[in-house]
Amino acid sequence: MAVRTYDEECSYLEKISGCAYRIKQGFVPNMKVEGLFYVNGHLQKLMFDELRHHCDSKGVGGFLPAVKQIGNVAALPGIVGHSIGLPDVHSGYGFAIGNMAAFDMDDPLAVVSPGGVGFDINCGVRLVRTNLFQKDVEPMKELLAQSLFDHIPVGVGSKGVIPMTARDLEAALEMGMDWSLREGYAWAEDKEHCEEHGRMLQADPSKVSQRAKKRGLPQLGTLGAGNHYAEIQIVEEIYNPHAASKMGIEEKGQVCIMIHSGSRGLGHQVATDALVEMEKAMKRDKIHVNDRQLACARIKSKEGQNYLQSMAAAANYAWVNRSSMTFLTRQAFAKAFKSTPDDLDMHIIYDVSHNIAKIEEHVVGKTQKSLLIHRKGSTRAFPPHHPLIPVDYQIIGQPVLIGGTMGTCSYVLTGTEQGFRETFGSTCHGAGRALSRAKSRRTLGYESVLSSLAAKGIAIRVASPKLVMEEAPESYKNVTDVVDTCHEAGISQKTFKLKPIAVIKG
């Protein structure tokens, strides 16, 4: 198909509010619904520059621009509402990262696509609060950073320290955080502050391949590499004191720990296995898509159900993984402060998933429907009084954890009614890449990245120093731009801001 000029492409993109654009049908072939994306002035330039580069190169080489990927998702069978790009949206495999889409469970043609979940199934963020303050940890932050680095296995090939047999893995895949609770690695109240209570009930470990299990067995309780991290953070700003207080955050300077990780090699293998199966299902069921990376299957088909059950098992693995690292973090802090995790008030504020597909109830038009919500690089953000959020957050809405990049700030937001209506209760998940990993390695030096962190007073421990360029702040969009856009658009509200004082990375 001939590539249109940049001006021709832009004629399909219309600004409809201060930070929202619609993508008209016809932008890519076969669109069933319109696209929608949220950007402020600075993020808009990045988004449109990516499209311009695609037009100038006549569409040759590299990923499709994110705006094209949002359009291609809008062409999938059974989609309802809009194909939505959040402010951190950037090119990914199939779906853009930061793209969410909803599919009608009652439509026999509706599909599920592993590209709409991502390879790191249930990659997510957990925030643990403490009753410590900056003055307590500043003198010993290097010691704490080393203690965390010693307790939590990190890096590409890292192996877990939590004892795990093949039988334990089967139970963890089925039970999620209930396994962690049974084995003594989690507190009973941890589950209350976790999406799905840390367990997807439709998980079926028998649908997870032996190869995936073999990859996952040694990696439980490990951080991994890439953009995953554990950070010791302090509260820098409080925007909504009432909401922050409900989360146990009373004043600036309070210390929290943020853990960002997922399902490691097991989740990656589940996604890879499903893509192979779905390519066959597409031929059999004559499903046509604009991009072969959007391999999919009818939700009700055998392949669709197998994927949802194996994806749920991988999601359970990720919750067990974050719970195991929470256990190790509590141990490290208790040892450093000669106290107990309970006395240090090391409770989980919340645990969010940002690579997952879930069946939820939403209103489309004026009809309540069961929808399969794909969130890839997108966080659930339910409003106040929603039945699926914890009792203690009913008045303020679901906490939403937005992790920054290495050495930059992170945010905690809450869900809104407007977001529930406009984006099916979804918001951003982080900063979103601005440079590819390869370009980051070519243009940045790891020594300068590490020295700039040290200059900011941040203690850092990394397993692979030469990979830190990929995660340098310069490789990403500005997380404050992303969060401010969500706040301005009304799809989530700022509660408080955190800044790191120690970073642990793979």
Side-chain angles (χ1 to χ4, degrees):
M1 192 174 109
V3 176
R4 291 189 289 244
T5 67
Y6 175 69
D7 288 339
E8 286 170 339
E9 296 283 32
C10 287
S11 68
Y12 288 90
L13 308 177
E14 179 189 353
K15 190 170 187 176
I16 54 174
S17 73
C19 47
Y21 282 77
R22 77 181 177 111
I23 304 171
K24 299 176 197 171
Q25 286 173 283
F27 182 61
V28 299
N30 307 317
M31 286 174 71
K32 315 282 190 295
V33 297
E34 291 188 334
L36 177 70
F37 63 92
Y38 296 88
V39 285
N40 68 4
H42 185 237
L43 298 173
Q44 175 205 326
K45 183 177 185 306
L46 288 171
M47 194 91 160
F48 280 78
D49 281 354
E50 187 183 49
L51 180 61
R52 185 191 295 275
H53 176 74
H54 173 74
C55 294
D56 290 348
S57 64
K58 307 292 184 201
V60 176
F63 275 123
L64 282 172
V67 70
K68 283 282 183 189
Q69 292 190 310
I70 295 168
N72 285 337
V73 168
L76 289 174
I79 189 169
V80 296
H82 297 90
S83 171
I84 297 168
L86 285 314
D88 49 346
V89 70
H90 57 285
S91 295
Y93 184 93
F95 277 57
I97 298 160
N99 188 182
M100 70 73 49
F103 296 82
D104 187 351
M105 292 294 294
D106 294 329
D107 183 344
L109 300 181
V111 297
V112 56
S113 174
V117 171
F119 283 96
D120 191 2
I121 294 165
N122 191 8
C123 182
V125 183
R126 175 173 291 199
L127 188 64
V128 179
R129 70 171 189 247
T130 73
N131 55 16
L132 299 165
F133 284 84
Q134 187 171 8
K135 62 179 170 39
D136 302 315
V137 300
E138 196 66 51
M140 53 193 301
K141 70 182 177 192
E142 291 291 343
L143 177 84
L144 269 174
Q146 189 60 46
S147 181
L148 273 182
F149 192 68
D150 292 342
H151 277 75
I152 300 174
V154 300
V156 177
S158 52
K159 290 193 164 78
V161 294
I162 302 286
M164 195 77 174
T165 65
R167 184 176 290 179
D168 286 327
L169 180 63
E170 292 287 327
L173 291 173
E174 182 180 343
M175 297 170 65
M177 278 178 68
D178 284 332
W179 181 86
S180 303
L181 188 59
R182 187 185 78 183
E183 300 296 320
Y185 299 121
W187 298 349
E189 57 266 38
D190 289 352
K191 286 179 55 190
E192 297 301 313
H193 286 179
C194 188
E195 262 185 61
E196 305 292 315
H197 294 97
R199 178 180 186 177
M200 290 187 83
L201 294 173
Q202 69 267 46
D204 183 349
S206 72
K207 300 297 195 297
V208 177
S209 69
Q210 285 305 312
R211 183 174 168 81
K213 289 171 183 172
K214 188 176 178 182
R215 291 181 69 179
L217 184 59
Q219 293 184 331
L220 196 78
T222 65
L223 194 62
N227 62 349
H228 295 157
Y229 59 76
E231 285 188 353
I232 303 170
Q233 303 174 332
I234 57 164
V235 176
E236 188 176 35
E237 295 287 344
I238 298 176
Y239 307 105
N240 184 334
H242 173 65
S245 176
K246 288 285 183 189
M247 299 179 203
I249 299 299
E250 300 297 345
E251 55 185 289
K252 291 197 268 191
Q254 196 167 336
V255 173
C256 297
I257 302 99
M258 184 175 276
I259 297 168
H260 177 204
S261 190
S263 51
R264 306 289 276 110
L266 182 137
H268 197 285
Q269 192 63 48
V270 165
T272 303
D273 293 342
L275 287 168
V276 173
E277 290 300 304
M278 287 188 180
E279 288 204 354
K280 297 173 191 167
M282 286 173 71
K283 285 178 186 164
R284 182 193 68 215
D285 295 337
K286 298 182 172 52
I287 301 171
H288 301 289
V289 294
N290 290 347
D291 178 358
R292 68 184 298 268
Q293 290 184 358
L294 289 170
C296 55
R298 308 274 185 231
I299 295 172
K300 301 285 170 62
S301 71
K302 176 168 155 284
E303 294 81 4
Q305 289 300 302
N306 283 352
Y307 171 68
L308 288 172
Q309 289 164 349
S310 60
M311 181 214 72
N316 287 347
Y317 177 96
W319 279 312
V320 172
N321 196 29
R322 290 199 285 278
S323 294
S324 301
M325 286 186 281
T326 304
F327 170 79
L328 296 168
T329 299
R330 284 169 171 160
Q331 298 291 100
F333 266 70
K335 191 173 171 186
F337 288 97
K338 298 182 174 55
S339 183
T340 66
D342 204 23
D343 286 342
L344 293 172
D345 193 38
M346 296 187 75
H347 290 274
I348 293 172
I349 290 178
Y350 209 59
D351 179 299
V352 296
S353 314
H354 52 231
N355 273 5
I356 206 158
K358 290 198 274 189
I359 298 167
E360 297 173 1
E361 296 293 313
H362 290 271
V363 174
V364 179
K366 293 185 178 176
T367 310
Q368 183 163 325
K369 287 182 172 289
S370 288
L371 304 177
L372 182 63
I373 306 288
H374 291 61
R375 293 191 181 96
K376 179 183 182 179
S378 164
T379 313
R380 193 186 78 177
F382 279 176
H385 313 300
H386 193 284
L388 292 182
I389 61 176
V391 172
D392 39 350
Y393 298 147
Q394 281 287 313
I395 292 171
I396 61 169
Q398 180 208 309
V400 179
L401 313 177
I402 309 300
T405 60
M406 190 169 59
T408 67
C409 56
S410 297
Y411 288 87
V412 177
L413 318 177
T414 50
T416 64
E417 278 292 347
Q418 185 181 341
F420 195 67
R421 289 192 308 271
E422 282 186 21
T423 65
F424 299 102
S426 309
T427 191
C428 63
H429 86 300
R433 293 198 78 86
L435 300 178
S436 69
R437 293 183 189 281
K439 191 166 184 182
S440 298
R441 287 195 300 272
R442 285 197 306 271
T443 56
L444 303 168
Y446 74 92
E447 298 97 335
S448 63
V449 173
L450 293 175
S451 61
S452 77
L453 290 172
K456 291 177 185 170
I458 297 170
I460 181 155
R461 298 291 184 279
V462 286
S464 317
K466 293 189 178 176
L467 294 182
V468 297
M469 305 89 78
E470 296 179 5
E471 303 306 319
E474 297 90 334
S475 302
Y476 283 83
K477 297 173 182 176
N478 183 328
V479 70
T480 301
D481 272 339
V482 169
V483 166
D484 285 348
T485 304
C486 291
H487 185 85
E488 188 186 333
I491 58 175
S492 41
Q493 298 263 292
K494 293 195 291 189
T495 301
F496 61 93
K497 175 184 177 184
L498 298 142
K499 74 170 185 181
I501 58 170
V503 180
I504 315 303
K505 282 196 77 72

